[in-house]
RNA sequence: GCGCCCGUAGCUCAGUCGGAUAGAGCACCAGAUUCCUAAUCUGGGGGUCAGAGGUUCGAAUCCUCUCGGGCGCGCCA
């Protein structure tokens, strides 16, 4: 709808050569915005003010020229110059009626833009370490990432969702050792549980579930012999010794079967959990596969060919300070091990090599230190630093009974995403997670999210949807028919202020989706839906829909069914259900 | 110390590619239902947009500094 106004202004400017020249590099659409106050019309353009300085004319003078050059349009009733030089547009009822018709004809597609070929987007999110079940913090990343993906798709972009599985490195050994110790305990062999190990009950469950038929339980003396102290100061040493002991007693393959099955078990659990949450990934990208496929070496080779790496103190360094980083970073350690940074840049290099043009990472706020160096890596390997965009998720704090709850994976006292979903339901969970800007800390109050009351905004919106469905059921009970075609014909009957207000809100939807997608800001959509539901409830309370006058009734139903469609589409993007009945 | 994020109503937060009188929910106060679901609606009070400068027709929004809060600054993962 905004486009209508933009094109009018564009055409008017074309008829004013001296202004058109000044406005050449100004995107007209960016001067058009919705008015905050209905007394300013439906749309306003500040184009005259923007042109005032370069054109060396007063804003109101320019505005007058533009208004004069505007031709008559069936979509515009009135144009006014106001304030310091705003041009206010009052759209005609016909323009809104046409928009309602679009909602009806496009249905689920309303608000979605035609498919774009580029940029191809790779959206990486969650990527939680597979060392335990997802907790509530990961849930926020999941809901946010998935919703942003939905928004980008609605905006027409090709999006692939990817989960990076950190299945390599020491943490897998620690996981294996943690399960092994529980397994030993089940076989009557007592070993001090490592302080740096994973302590949750799920570790005990895994120890019971995995297939250990190839292993025989050693005796306690063999396991415990000469183990270092399990103190806070040397927990790494103790865990490492346990891993070495497990390998010594069961062989490398023996320990690996424990480690691998533990990983598989946790990963399966994560996949199930996310799928239940409505979050489905296109790819699960294994960190280990980077090594298996020699991608880390390949990335290092690219850097070597470009002659950016240097040697110092026996290690190989990447000069990320050349790209604005605090310090240079080691890529290969003096012991020959590649660093985590090396796999990070290899992974992101591979994303680009796979043909994705825009890489969006959704990360926890504690990872912001990595961005500069990974961008640097991309730039050094021949891509653009800006190819990688990172959205940070601030922490989630759970409250129950007004008290903050503690969360920590290692301590085993965390609250899992699964527990949260069971308690508040998927709809409330997804809604709450994206209700706040991702760069704001989120206080998640379980009492409010579970309350079926007017404190709970998700119900408010769903209720609006259900109310429309309810009206249609009532229609049937009264043995009345809704003639949609007649409704379309009779839209002139809709003259109440609440009707005008609702039509205005509906027509904003495509603009909101585009804005939310461009800003990666789901909360924009959340707030819009809340406003839309409010307009609907207000209308509902002010006027009856199932009136005797068939013409008016058909027209009103035409409007509220359009409302139902838009609410359903918006909730769909949020991954929240749109119930017919509540 | 350096870097990133944040500071808006009593509380929780929108609004920040600069736009007209800064908004919503909750809480508080006063009302609305013979009628499609009251999980709803209407009205009201409530603000030094952390503070101070600057940029300009115009600043919550951009720049600088100060104060306050969170996070990060490994040849860990």
């Amino acid at each position: 709808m905004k486009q209508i106004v933009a094109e009018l202004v564009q055409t008017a400017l074309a008829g004013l050569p001296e202004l058109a020249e000044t406005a050449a590099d100004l995107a007209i659409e960016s001067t058009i915005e919705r008015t905050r106050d209905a007394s300013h019309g439906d749309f306003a353009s500040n184009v005259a003010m923007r042109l005032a300085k370069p054109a060396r004319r007063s804003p109101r003078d320019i505005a007058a020229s533009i208004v004069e050059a505007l031709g008559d349009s069936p979509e515009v009733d009135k144009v006014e110059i106001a304030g310091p030089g705003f041009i206010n547009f009052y759209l005609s009822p016909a323009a809104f009626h046409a928009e309602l018709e679009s909602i009806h004809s496009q249905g689920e597609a309303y608000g979605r833009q035609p498919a774009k070929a580029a940029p191809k987007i790779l959206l990486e999110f969650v990527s939680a370490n597979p060392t335990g079940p997802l907790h509530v913090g990961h849930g926020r990343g999941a809901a946010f990432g998935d919703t942003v993906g939905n928004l980008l798709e609605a905006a027409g972009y090709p999006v692939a969702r990817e989960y990076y599985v950190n299945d390599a490195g020491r943490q897998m050994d620690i996981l294996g050792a943690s399960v092994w110790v529980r397994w030993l305990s089940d076989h009557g062999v007592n070993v001090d549980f490592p302080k740096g190990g994973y302590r949750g009950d799920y570790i005990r469950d895994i120890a019971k579930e995995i297939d250990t038929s190839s292993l025989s339980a050693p005796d306690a003396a063999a396991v415990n012999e000469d183990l270092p102290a399990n103190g806070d100061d040397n927990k790494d040493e103790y865990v490492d010794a346990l891993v070495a002991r497990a390998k010594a007693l069961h062989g490398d393959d023996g320990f690996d079967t424990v480690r691998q099955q533990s990983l598989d078990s946790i990963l399966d659990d994560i996949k199930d959990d996310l799928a239940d949450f409505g979050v489905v990934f296109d790819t699960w990208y294994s960190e280990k596969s980077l090594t298996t496929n020699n991608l880390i070496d390949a990335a290092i080779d690219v850097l070597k060919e470009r002659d950016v790496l240097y040697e110092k103190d026996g290690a190989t360094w990447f000069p990320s300070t050349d790209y604005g980083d605090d310090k240079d970073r080691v890529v290969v350690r003096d012991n020959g091990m590649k660093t985590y940074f090396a796999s990070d840049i290899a992974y992101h290099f591979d994303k680009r090599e796979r043909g994705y043009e825009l890489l969006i990472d959704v990360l926890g706020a504690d990872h912001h230190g990595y961005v500069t160096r990974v961008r640097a890596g991309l730039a050094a390997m021949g891509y653009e630093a800006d190819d990688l965009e990172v959205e940070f998720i601030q922490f989630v704090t759970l409250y129950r009974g007004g008290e903050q709850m503690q969360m920590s994976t290692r301590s085993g006292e965390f609250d899992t995403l699964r527990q949260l979903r069971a308690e508040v339901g998927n709809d409330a969970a997804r809604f709450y997670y994206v209700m706040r800007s991702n760069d704001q800390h989120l206080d998640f109050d379980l009492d409010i999210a579970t309350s079926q009351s007017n404190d709970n905004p998700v119900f408010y919106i769903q209720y609006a949807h259900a109310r429309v469905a309810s009206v249609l059921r009532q229609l049937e009970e009264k043995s009345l028919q809704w003639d949609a075609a007649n409704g379309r014909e009779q839209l002139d009957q809709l003259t109440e202020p609440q009707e005008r207000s609702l039509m205005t809100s509906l027509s904003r939807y495509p603009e909101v989706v585009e804005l939310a997608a461009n800003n990666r800001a789901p909360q924009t959509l959340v707030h819009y839906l809340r406003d839309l539901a409010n307009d609907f409830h207000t209308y509902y309370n002010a006027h009856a829909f199932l009136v005797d006058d068939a013409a008016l009734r058909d027209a009103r139903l035409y409007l509220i069914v359009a409302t139902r469609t838009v609410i359903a589409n918006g909730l769909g993007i949020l991954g929240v259900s749109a119930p017919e009945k509540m």
Side-chain angles (χ1 to χ4, degrees):
Chain A
M1 197 170 221
K2 190 178 184 177
Q3 202 57 40
I4 295 171
V5 179
E7 278 165 21
L8 279 172
V9 173
Q10 192 76 62
T11 308
L13 275 174
L16 299 166
E18 72 285 3
L19 279 179
E21 200 173 321
T22 323
D25 52 354
L26 182 63
I28 297 304
E29 197 173 341
S30 74
T31 74
I32 315 287
E33 56 186 25
R34 293 274 174 173
T35 57
R36 206 180 317 166
D37 191 328
S39 68
H40 296 139
D42 298 302
F43 289 88
S45 174
N46 61 15
V47 65
M49 283 126 84
R50 302 263 286 266
L51 293 177
K53 181 167 271 184
R56 289 189 215 157
R57 291 170 58 186
S58 83
R60 290 193 69 104
D61 183 36
I62 295 172
S65 300
I66 293 173
V67 169
E68 200 172 333
L70 286 168
D72 276 346
S73 162
E75 286 143 329
V76 177
D77 270 355
K78 189 171 62 164
V79 180
E80 284 178 352
I81 299 168
F86 289 105
I87 305 173
N88 292 338
F89 294 84
Y90 295 74
L91 297 205
S92 68
F96 288 100
H97 298 168
E99 196 68 21
L100 283 185
E101 189 170 13
S102 293
I103 297 171
H104 278 272
S105 63
Q106 294 177 37
E108 287 182 8
Y110 181 72
R112 303 187 74 87
Q113 292 178 37
K116 298 174 172 68
K120 285 196 216 163
I121 299 173
L122 184 70
L123 183 62
E124 183 206 331
F125 59 109
V126 189
S127 296
N129 288 343
T131 53
L134 298 176
H135 60 70
V136 293
H138 299 130
R140 189 179 190 188
F144 176 82
D146 192 50
T147 304
V148 167
N150 291 342
L151 282 167
L152 291 169
E153 283 166 348
Y157 297 103
V159 179
R161 292 164 166 80
E162 185 159 289
Y163 187 119
Y164 183 58
V165 183
N166 290 90
D167 55 1
R170 232 177 129 258
Q171 60 186 347
M172 286 298 105
D173 282 344
I174 298 174
L175 174 66
S178 302
V179 172
W180 185 57
V181 170
R182 296 305 187 201
W183 175 80
L184 288 172
S185 164
D186 288 342
H187 288 75
V189 179
N190 288 316
V191 189
D192 206 13
F193 192 85
K195 284 218 159 72
Y198 300 107
R199 210 165 264 282
D201 288 342
Y202 64 93
I203 294 289
R204 298 175 195 272
D205 297 339
I206 292 169
K208 289 190 168 58
E209 287 162 15
I210 59 175
D211 176 5
T212 54
S213 54
S214 64
L215 308 182
S216 53
D219 62 51
V223 175
N224 281 293
E225 189 185 2
D226 293 332
L227 282 180
N230 182 23
D232 285 327
D233 295 339
N234 61 340
K235 42 189 172 189
D236 289 350
E237 198 187 327
Y238 181 76
V239 172
D240 289 345
L242 275 181
V243 171
R245 183 58 46 87
K247 287 180 176 173
L249 293 170
H250 302 294
D252 282 3
D253 288 351
F255 180 66
D256 193 54
T257 190
V258 173
R259 190 173 49 186
Q260 188 61 44
Q261 288 185 81
S262 303
L263 167 66
D264 291 345
S265 167
I266 288 171
L267 210 49
D268 284 349
D269 176 71
I270 288 174
K271 286 179 182 178
D272 287 350
D273 198 9
L274 289 171
D276 285 350
F277 198 35
V279 179
V280 177
F281 287 90
D282 297 291
T283 40
W284 294 74
Y285 195 100
S286 158
E287 179 188 3
K288 212 158 52 181
S289 74
L290 288 173
T291 306
T292 323
N293 298 332
N294 290 318
L295 293 181
I296 301 179
D297 290 336
I300 291 174
D301 285 345
V302 170
L303 291 171
K304 279 182 180 161
E305 279 163 26
R306 293 176 159 260
D307 204 23
V308 290
L309 300 179
Y310 66 90
E311 305 287 327
K312 193 181 82 177
D313 301 334
T316 306
W317 294 72
F318 173 73
S320 48
T321 43
D322 293 352
Y323 303 85
D325 200 2
D326 294 347
K327 55 189 80 170
D328 289 351
R329 307 289 167 176
V330 170
V331 183
V332 184
R333 288 157 62 180
D334 54 6
N335 64 7
M337 297 281 287
K338 284 107 186 175
T339 60
Y340 193 81
F341 170 60
S343 32
D344 257 356
I345 56 177
Y347 173 47
H348 285 85
F349 179 63
D350 181 61
K351 286 179 175 177
R352 281 301 269 114
E353 292 284 290
R354 282 186 278 155
Y356 295 106
E357 295 143 331
L358 175 60
L359 315 179
I360 302 179
D361 286 7
V362 177
L363 300 176
D366 52 338
H367 287 75
H368 64 72
Y370 306 122
V371 179
T372 307
R373 68 188 84 156
V374 176
R375 280 209 179 112
L378 279 173
M381 288 188 283
Y383 290 113
E384 300 293 326
D386 287 345
D387 292 346
L388 173 62
E389 171 189 323
V390 181
E391 297 297 332
F392 294 108
I393 303 293
Q394 292 289 339
F395 296 152
V396 177
T397 313
L398 280 185
Y399 286 83
R400 194 201 300 276
E403 288 205 15
Q404 188 176 337
M405 302 169 72
Q406 295 301 317
M407 294 168 283
S408 158
T409 304
R410 295 220 179 187
S411 70
E413 294 169 3
F414 59 89
D415 279 76
T416 62
L417 172 61
R418 189 173 264 117
Q419 288 172 314
L420 178 77
R421 293 195 296 106
E423 184 158 337
V424 309
N426 283 337
D427 285 344
R430 286 200 62 139
F431 190 92
Y432 263 72
Y433 273 137
V434 300
M435 199 165 83
R436 301 281 144 72
S437 167
N438 57 292
D439 55 21
Q440 289 281 352
H441 289 254
L442 176 65
D443 290 332
F444 199 124
D445 190 323
L446 292 169
D447 301 323
I448 291 177
T450 47
S451 73
Q452 305 218 338
S453 75
N454 52 3
D455 294 353
N456 202 337
V458 64
F459 286 119
Y460 183 86
I461 296 166
Q462 289 179 317
Y463 183 43
H465 183 272
R467 268 186 152 176
V468 177
S470 172
V471 170
L472 295 178
R473 283 194 298 272
Q474 281 291 320
L475 179 78
E476 215 168 312
E477 278 177 32
K478 294 184 177 180
S479 303
L480 293 169
Q481 297 282 317
W482 173 46
D483 183 340
N486 188 47
R488 171 66 185 94
E489 290 305 308
Q490 301 294 336
L491 290 177
D492 281 336
Q493 308 255 347
L494 304 182
T495 55
E496 300 290 348
Q498 294 88 350
E499 290 165 340
R500 175 60 181 242
S501 177
L502 186 53
M503 282 189 269
T504 298
S505 288
L506 289 171
S507 71
R508 281 179 56 212
Y509 178 69
E511 294 157 29
V512 169
V513 170
E514 184 177 11
L515 183 70
N518 288 339
N519 292 346
R520 331 291 189 225
Q523 81 276 7
T524 304
L525 179 57
V526 169
H527 287 278
Y528 164 79
L529 288 173
R530 215 256 156 220
D531 289 344
L532 177 61
N534 183 31
D535 284 331
F536 173 77
H537 288 308
T538 298
Y539 182 34
Y540 184 101
N541 273 53
H543 302 286
F545 307 143
L546 300 179
V547 292
D548 291 335
D549 177 353
L552 182 60
R553 185 176 69 230
D554 285 344
R556 285 185 170 169
L557 289 173
Y558 196 87
L559 175 57
I560 68 168
V561 168
T563 305
R564 179 178 69 171
T565 298
V566 171
I567 291 175
N569 290 359
L571 287 176
I573 286 175
L574 297 177
V576 174
S577 69
E580 296 289 305
K581 206 171 181 177
M582 291 177 73

